Amino acid sequence: MKNWHPDLSRSSSPRYIAIADLIELDLRSGILAAGDRLPPQRVLAKRLNIDFTTVARGYVEAQKRGLVDSHVGRGTFVTGRREKERGDFVLDAAPDPRRAAAIDFSMNLPPEPNDPDLVARMREGMSVVAADLVSLLRYQGFGGSGMDKEAAAAWLGRRGLNPGPERIFVTPGAHPALLAIFGLLAKPGETVLSENITYPGMRSIAAQLRLNLAGLPMDEDGILPDAFAESCERLQPRALYLNPTLQNPLTLTIPQGRREAIAAVARKYRVPIIEDDAYGFIPLSGPAPMAAIAPDVTWHIGGLAKCIGAGLRLAFVVAPDTRTIWPFVSAMRSSTVMASPLTMALATRWIEDGTADGILHFIRTEAAARQEMVADILPAGRYRSDPISFNIWLPLGNGWTRATFGGHMRNAGIGVVASDAFTVEGAAPEAVRVCLGGPISRDALKGALDFMAHALEGPPEMAASFF
């Protein structure tokens, strides 16, 4: 390990910036060299008589510049090298600064595949699709070709859904499908229901359509059936929105018995259920979808963003009956015309050749590994999660508020989402959602989680950085 002892007085910048600056200066002067292991953060904090958080932020800043890299269980290493001809250091595989980004735990994305064999299969599928590129640049009928609907039916069949092809539609993502469905079911000023802590997109859709969104009370198993029934009597809602499996943001899954009780209330009061099954394919097993329990009252939306990739912008929608088909088709055509034939063809190819299964297996495996990392770093009982989710819900204590915690993380280049974004009614709880997926390596994730854990050990004033 390099016995590095930077002189912070050499820089007039804030101390965490000074640490990164001095790593860069010492690389130029030869004091540091590629491969040198820097002191552990706590060791350097003690050596310099400064706060641990300041050192952690300094190392994060250095990593963002491409000066250092962190490895789980090994430490932080210098990545620069000397350029013999000029005497300057250059960076080994330094990222293009235009693409550099903070550790963004705010974007709700699955882990990105990095297995070379899997990526090669994905590229092969794109090559096959490209062979018919010209025809895929034409307009197509809304809802997908017969081939696309067959692939959608096969995919949905794994969730126990077996609707006829006339009730299956391939749409350009879950969000426009939700917008169209709620536009059909409710008029401005009418009420729709959701979980009280719910997907932020649902709040946006209700606001755009000028609907009154009412939040239902919840326990650890989801919305309370009695509260749902009471709201049906009192508010006469036009629909109920549910995200019943690995719910965003709480990560809860509504158990079978509770789903059946909710379905019974919906049938009694003739309230359609809109089932946003974005995460339904992630668990290997679990409760049946609401559309399998109550197909006659349920709109099912099986998005591909969370189980394959957000960039596909595709979702498979199952209408509850044939009466609703033409109004839905008309609403979707007026707003989106059709899903992209290119992305439909790619998704169909990946489903048929097994690549989609490979991606799904990777997401499951990587999400589980990252949840194990969370369990090793964050105190037990301090957060809510599921062993296979790529989100955690983090209630705050020790005087932390969602504003102070979010600001503290943001200052370190770490993005989280405050509970305000998810709360339908009443005061938002002091909590944040943390996403573990997206373009984040395990090493970067570990460093960020270590930073969070240190902050949560005490009140905000103990975690403040001193300059």
Side-chain angles (χ1 to χ4, degrees):
M1 179 175 66
K2 191 75 175 181
N3 189 26
W4 187 57
H5 196 303
D7 181 1
L8 297 183
S9 66
R10 293 164 61 197
S11 173
S12 60
S13 300
R15 289 181 177 181
Y16 80 98
I17 295 292
I19 290 171
D21 288 344
L22 292 173
I23 292 173
E24 185 169 341
L25 289 171
D26 287 351
L27 268 166
R28 293 185 182 278
S29 66
I31 295 174
L32 290 174
D36 284 344
R37 180 184 174 193
L38 294 180
Q41 295 170 12
R42 292 188 186 277
V43 171
L44 187 61
K46 185 176 181 180
R47 185 177 296 169
L48 300 179
N49 193 29
I50 60 176
D51 186 74
F52 163 85
T53 306
T54 303
V55 176
R57 290 180 66 192
Y59 278 18
V60 168
E61 175 65 24
Q63 186 162 5
K64 286 164 61 178
R65 298 184 193 180
L67 300 170
V68 302
D69 198 8
S70 297
H71 301 272
V72 178
R74 294 173 55 205
T76 301
F77 294 83
V78 176
T79 58
R81 58 177 171 83
R82 297 277 293 176
E83 186 176 15
K84 295 180 181 179
E85 293 78 10
R86 296 175 50 200
D88 292 332
F89 80 90
V90 295
L91 300 178
D92 290 327
D96 186 327
R98 293 172 298 174
R99 299 187 183 278
I103 300 172
D104 193 354
F105 290 163
S106 63
M107 290 303 294
N108 185 23
L109 298 169
E112 294 186 350
N114 57 13
D115 176 72
D117 291 338
L118 177 56
V119 173
R121 289 174 60 191
M122 294 166 68
R123 288 175 175 159
E124 181 184 0
M126 293 195 72
S127 297
V128 172
V129 168
D132 193 26
L133 185 60
V134 173
S135 69
L136 294 174
L137 297 178
R138 302 170 188 152
Y139 282 110
Q140 296 187 5
F142 177 79
S145 67
M147 184 178 182
D148 297 323
K149 288 195 173 192
E150 286 177 9
W155 190 251
L156 293 167
R158 303 177 193 188
R159 294 282 287 133
L161 300 176
N162 298 288
E166 72 281 358
R167 292 171 51 212
I168 299 175
F169 300 92
V170 186
T171 68
H175 197 92
L178 287 167
L179 190 64
I181 293 167
F182 277 101
L184 290 176
L185 296 178
K187 298 176 182 178
E190 293 183 326
T191 297
V192 295
L193 305 175
S194 73
E195 309 104 325
N196 196 45
I197 302 292
T198 195
Y199 166 53
M202 184 59 239
R203 298 180 62 207
S204 299
I205 288 168
Q208 183 173 343
L209 296 176
R210 292 181 293 156
L211 305 178
N212 175 35
L213 181 63
L216 294 174
M218 309 167 69
D219 62 13
E220 292 187 352
D221 289 337
I223 65 167
L224 303 175
D226 288 346
F228 177 28
E230 188 275 332
S231 293
C232 289
E233 293 275 4
R234 179 169 53 89
L235 301 174
Q236 298 183 335
R238 305 299 297 169
L240 166 67
Y241 169 84
L242 287 180
N243 178 203
T245 300
L246 298 180
Q247 190 250 17
N248 174 22
L250 299 177
T251 76
L252 65 85
T253 294
I254 301 176
Q256 183 76 17
R258 178 67 61 87
R259 294 183 186 220
E260 292 171 355
I262 292 170
V265 175
R267 279 190 170 124
K268 177 179 178 180
Y269 292 96
R270 298 182 180 180
V271 175
I273 297 170
I274 293 84
E275 178 179 34
D276 185 357
D277 201 37
Y279 309 89
F281 282 92
I282 305 298
L284 286 170
S285 61
M290 296 299 300
I293 297 170
D296 53 316
V297 296
T298 303
W299 288 85
H300 180 87
I301 304 174
L304 301 186
K306 312 307 181 187
C307 59
I308 297 182
L312 281 177
R313 305 312 305 150
L314 291 176
F316 300 148
V317 174
V318 180
D321 53 52
T322 55
R323 292 183 301 104
T324 56
I325 290 174
W326 289 112
F328 175 69
V329 170
S330 178
M332 290 297 299
R333 276 179 173 163
S334 65
S335 61
T336 63
V337 181
M338 63 182 182
S340 165
L342 278 167
T343 52
M344 280 195 290
L346 183 59
T348 294
R349 176 69 187 185
W350 281 350
I351 290 170
E352 289 181 342
D353 71 7
T355 302
D357 285 320
I359 298 171
L360 184 56
H361 175 74
F362 173 86
I363 291 171
R364 287 176 181 144
T365 303
E366 185 64 19
R370 295 182 182 208
Q371 286 288 350
E372 290 177 3
M373 188 181 298
V374 170
D376 289 339
I377 295 173
L378 296 185
R382 287 292 301 272
Y383 63 94
R384 176 168 188 150
S385 70
D386 183 279
I388 206 167
S389 172
F390 41 84
N391 288 321
I392 64 171
W393 181 250
L394 185 62
L396 301 170
N398 284 336
W400 284 102
T401 67
R402 55 197 187 277
T404 57
F405 187 79
H408 185 61
M409 294 297 107
R410 189 162 52 250
N411 287 339
I414 300 170
V416 297
V417 183
S419 58
D420 306 72
F422 311 97
T423 304
V424 177
E425 294 185 20
E430 298 298 348
V432 297
R433 186 197 69 188
V434 181
C435 180
L436 311 176
I440 304 169
S441 68
R442 289 192 192 181
D443 291 339
L445 175 60
K446 181 182 184 302
L449 290 172
D450 282 335
F451 187 85
M452 283 187 187
H454 172 76
L456 293 169
E457 286 177 0
E461 54 269 24
M462 295 297 295
S465 299
F466 299 97
F467 304 136

